[in-house]
Amino acid sequence: MIYVITLLIGAINSIMILLNGTLSASYGNLSSSIIIHTVGLIGIIFVLLITKTRFKLDRGIPLYLYSAGFIGIGTVLLTNVSYANLGVSLHLALSLLGQTVSSLIIDHFGLLGMKTAKFNPKKSVGLLLIVFGILVMTVYK
Amino acid sequence: MLIIYLLLSMLSGVTLVIARIINSNLAARIGTYQGTLVNYIVGLFFSLLFFLINKEAVDLSYVHVSSIPFWAYLGGLGGVIIIVASNYLTPKISAFYLTLLLFVGQLFVGIIIDYLLLQEFSTGKLIGGILVALGLTYNLFLDKKTTLKTE
């Protein structure tokens, strides 16, 4: 079930890329980022109000836990630079490679509070298929 | 110079994974919706900051606001669904599977969107996507086996 939800979220992501892409084509990247974040902020405030969620900040939380929104802007800027210089498909393939390798490392060592999932050498077969798939997408349009 | 762009491209993938995990860690501490709120406040703050530093030329007279369809503004709401859901999913699934399942869902709907809107069909994307999905299924299958053995 968790896997199905994850697939659906990926699907929503595709729709979102279409919407945000349409917006940034007209407004530019940073201006549209402001619009996107404002709409999102209104959306989540609405959710908080409907669910009557109380908001309390815990002072003991390390500062870096608040940095995801900042890192997200980093992703946008890095993506823009690579898009402009490498084209869409090569960028997507390399970004996926970066995601795959970093998540394998994070899983293997249990970094950032994730559960440790040691890499099973038998999985190299599946990994090879995945890398080959990424390669096909990049080379053969 | 090219090698730097290749590295930056990979790095954008790394930042995606790290932001997702940090967000879910925060959500575990203060709640899923609250964590999403913080994500948007911080994101908006830095969007504004970079906007001011970068001085991206915004000539609003040039932007044909009426020509932008209403639905294009709703992307931010999709983002809320994605962040709420990934804050919920991230602790329950390995980072690796999360990455790849998100990708497979995104890729196949992307192929459908391209076909419906642009009448474009990429055979390479379809074949590559099927290969990625196969590799993923194979590894998921191996995982099932090992958990069955240990149980």
Side-chain angles (χ1 to χ4, degrees):
Chain A
M1 193 57 203
I2 292 287
Y3 296 147
V4 178
I5 300 173
T6 312
L7 273 172
L8 282 176
I9 297 304
I12 295 176
N13 204 16
S14 239
I15 298 167
M16 203 187 68
I17 289 170
L18 170 72
L19 302 186
N20 293 347
T22 311
L23 208 58
S24 61
S26 310
Y27 285 104
N29 286 312
L30 288 168
S31 326
S32 56
S33 175
I34 294 173
I35 299 175
I36 292 162
H37 276 90
T38 309
V39 173
L41 190 59
I42 295 169
I44 187 63
I45 288 174
F46 202 62
V47 173
L48 284 163
L49 288 175
I50 289 179
T51 55
K52 298 204 175 81
T53 312
R54 303 264 313 268
F55 194 87
K56 61 170 195 328
L57 278 183
D58 181 349
R59 278 175 196 279
I61 297 174
L63 193 64
Y64 84 92
L65 282 184
Y66 292 104
S67 65
F70 172 68
I71 299 176
I73 307 287
T75 310
V76 173
L77 297 178
L78 284 171
T79 301
N80 291 344
V81 176
S82 343
Y83 247 60
N85 292 288
L86 300 175
V88 179
S89 40
L90 186 56
H91 163 74
L92 281 180
L94 285 168
S95 159
L96 181 64
L97 194 65
Q99 290 180 59
T100 310
V101 172
S102 58
S103 30
L104 277 174
I105 293 172
I106 288 169
D107 284 342
H108 185 75
F109 295 103
L111 303 177
L112 295 165
M114 290 290 285
K115 265 182 246 157
T116 312
K118 288 264 180 283
F119 185 71
N120 174 355
K122 276 187 194 160
K123 285 188 185 169
S124 310
V125 180
L127 199 61
L128 222 63
L129 269 174
I130 292 163
V131 172
F132 189 59
I134 297 174
L135 213 68
V136 168
M137 265 180 265
T138 321
V139 177
Y140 173 54
K141 306 223 168 62
Chain B
M1 207 49 204
L2 181 70
I3 190 120
I4 294 176
Y5 292 128
L6 298 176
L7 285 173
L8 288 180
S9 215
M10 278 186 73
L11 194 63
S12 78
V14 178
T15 56
L16 265 176
V17 174
I18 292 177
R20 200 153 60 210
I21 295 175
I22 290 182
N23 237 343
S24 83
N25 283 344
L26 180 67
R29 296 273 196 114
I30 66 173
T32 300
Y33 298 143
Q34 292 91 327
T36 308
L37 179 71
V38 168
N39 182 73
Y40 273 95
I41 293 173
V42 175
L44 183 59
F45 174 76
F46 283 102
S47 300
L48 285 166
L49 193 70
F50 281 119
F51 176 77
L52 291 175
I53 294 172
N54 198 53
K55 296 196 183 74
E56 186 177 79
V58 204
D59 185 0
L60 282 179
S61 61
Y62 179 73
V63 177
H64 299 287
V65 174
S66 56
S67 71
I68 302 165
F70 167 71
W71 48 259
Y73 290 94
L74 301 180
L77 297 182
V80 173
I81 300 173
I82 290 171
I83 294 173
V84 168
S86 74
N87 283 350
Y88 166 78
L89 291 167
T90 305
K92 294 185 166 53
I93 178 173
S94 84
F96 178 63
Y97 289 141
L98 188 63
T99 296
L100 285 174
L101 284 166
L102 285 174
F103 171 73
V104 170
Q106 182 185 324
L107 180 75
F108 285 104
V109 173
I111 291 174
I112 296 171
I113 290 176
D114 284 348
Y115 182 69
L116 291 179
L117 290 184
L118 308 168
Q119 261 82 48
E120 263 177 27
F121 185 76
S122 154
T123 323
K125 268 190 194 163
L126 184 68
I127 297 173
I130 290 172
L131 285 171
V132 171
L134 277 177
L136 184 69
T137 318
Y138 178 80
N139 282 3
L140 277 171
F141 193 69
L142 277 181
D143 271 351
K144 275 257 165 64
K145 253 184 166 171
T146 23
T147 37
L148 280 180
K149 261 184 207 159
T150 46
E151 267 165 11

